[in-house]
Amino acid sequence: MDYKLDHNSSVPLHAQAEEFLRDMIRQDEYQKGKLFPNEVELSQKLDVSRNTLRQAINKLVMEGLLVRKKGYGTTVAAQNVMSNARNWKSFSQEMRSQGMKVQNFELHISYKAAPEEALKFFNIKSPASLLCLERLRGKPGLPFVYFISYFNPAIPMSVEDDMSLPLYEILEKKYGIFVKTSKELIYARGASPAMAEKLGIEEGAPILVRKRFVLDKDNVPVEYNIGYYKADSFTYSIEFTND
């Protein structure tokens, strides 16, 4: 990127440097983890002092847009998916609301023996194989969550459905099912060997597990979902009010 600061402008140099850095952050190469040039290189490129440049970098670090690691360098901070406890959304909706594109890296649909917790949610008394959807998802070039969903067998979904489309859009448009409530559990654990391979992390590295018990507008169970997130890619926002 070619960029020169205007030393005659009324806009302070640190503010101009900050805008330049914001442009760099938007570049695909830096979004994918490329190191920023060091402070000496950048200050020479912009023809400003290192103190002025550092002022701009510090502000972006404080905003959570850049990460500085001693002995390593400066990179763009991982962009987390933010979920709000008061207004839940599907994964696709969460991504879109934050300006992120969704990419499916893996997609598998089959019938599998459902875990006991799913059977209990669907009020099924004996072991059963249910329609199971598994997806490795994230933003382009960066998978960060593995989802496993089981569905109420009363819903006539099948392996023939096009699961590359948004799930709740399929339920609404094809089956007339409108999801309304998501009861959730979130906890931390170490990644199993299989999950570590899926998410591209080391075995035992921290991940966040998010269980969703999804019901429709009539409180009929629709979906039992487990999401395994890379711990640095998901933030859950909760708001409490003291009346």
Side-chain angles (χ1 to χ4, degrees):
M1 291 174 59
D2 291 324
Y3 191 88
K4 292 294 183 183
L5 304 190
D6 184 355
H7 288 253
N8 297 316
S9 172
S10 59
V11 179
L13 290 174
H14 69 82
Q16 294 184 54
E18 178 189 323
E19 188 57 36
F20 172 78
L21 294 173
R22 290 183 189 277
D23 287 341
M24 290 184 68
I25 288 171
R26 298 184 191 104
Q27 301 299 309
D28 284 343
E29 57 189 318
Y30 294 110
Q31 287 281 331
K32 292 177 180 177
K34 180 180 177 180
L35 280 172
F36 269 46
N38 62 44
E39 288 185 8
V40 173
E41 291 179 69
L42 273 176
S43 60
Q44 290 175 348
K45 179 181 180 67
L46 298 177
D47 191 22
V48 294
S49 70
R50 290 182 63 183
N51 284 338
T52 297
L53 176 64
R54 194 172 293 126
Q55 185 177 352
I57 292 174
N58 286 344
K59 182 174 181 184
L60 298 178
V61 169
M62 290 294 292
E63 289 183 14
L65 296 176
L66 291 177
V67 174
R68 226 172 3 196
K69 296 181 181 178
K70 190 174 181 180
Y72 179 69
T74 301
T75 58
V76 174
Q79 193 171 7
N80 288 6
V81 171
M82 177 74 73
S83 183
N84 190 309
R86 298 185 64 192
N87 184 25
W88 78 278
K89 299 181 176 70
S90 71
F91 178 77
S92 296
Q93 290 170 329
E94 288 173 341
M95 293 282 281
R96 281 199 299 267
S97 69
Q98 294 166 64
M100 302 185 206
K101 293 182 179 179
V102 179
Q103 181 173 346
N104 287 324
F105 296 86
E106 292 183 22
L107 192 156
H108 313 283
I109 182 166
S110 61
Y111 286 93
K112 285 191 172 184
E116 185 176 346
E117 192 172 43
L119 295 174
K120 184 177 180 181
F121 178 54
F122 295 129
N123 197 28
I124 298 173
K125 305 299 184 184
S126 57
S129 291
L130 302 180
L131 188 68
C132 178
L133 174 64
E134 300 177 72
R135 293 177 291 180
L136 178 62
R137 312 190 81 188
K139 58 185 179 181
L142 182 64
F144 59 77
V145 58
Y146 194 80
F147 287 118
I148 303 175
S149 292
Y150 292 88
F151 300 96
N152 190 329
I155 303 171
M157 299 171 68
S158 75
V159 294
E160 302 302 321
D161 282 305
D162 183 2
M163 292 299 182
S164 65
L165 299 172
L167 174 60
Y168 296 152
E169 182 178 307
I170 295 172
L171 288 170
E172 289 182 13
K173 293 184 176 180
K174 188 171 182 179
Y175 298 104
I177 295 171
F178 295 84
V179 298
K180 181 180 179 182
T181 304
S182 177
K183 299 178 181 180
E184 305 194 5
L185 296 173
I186 298 176
Y187 55 90
R189 65 174 242 192
S192 66
M195 199 54 60
E197 183 178 358
K198 293 285 187 188
L199 297 176
I201 57 179
E202 294 184 2
E203 179 183 345
I207 60 174
L208 290 174
V209 182
R210 181 188 194 185
K211 290 185 179 181
R212 281 182 159 182
F213 302 82
V214 180
L215 304 99
D216 70 9
K217 57 185 177 61
D218 297 315
N219 283 328
V220 175
V222 173
E223 175 196 17
Y224 170 84
N225 172 275
I226 307 178
Y228 300 92
Y229 292 79
K230 291 174 65 175
D232 61 357
S233 300
F234 179 70
T235 300
Y236 200 71
S237 171
I238 301 175
E239 181 178 326
F240 296 101
T241 301
N242 186 10
D243 293 325

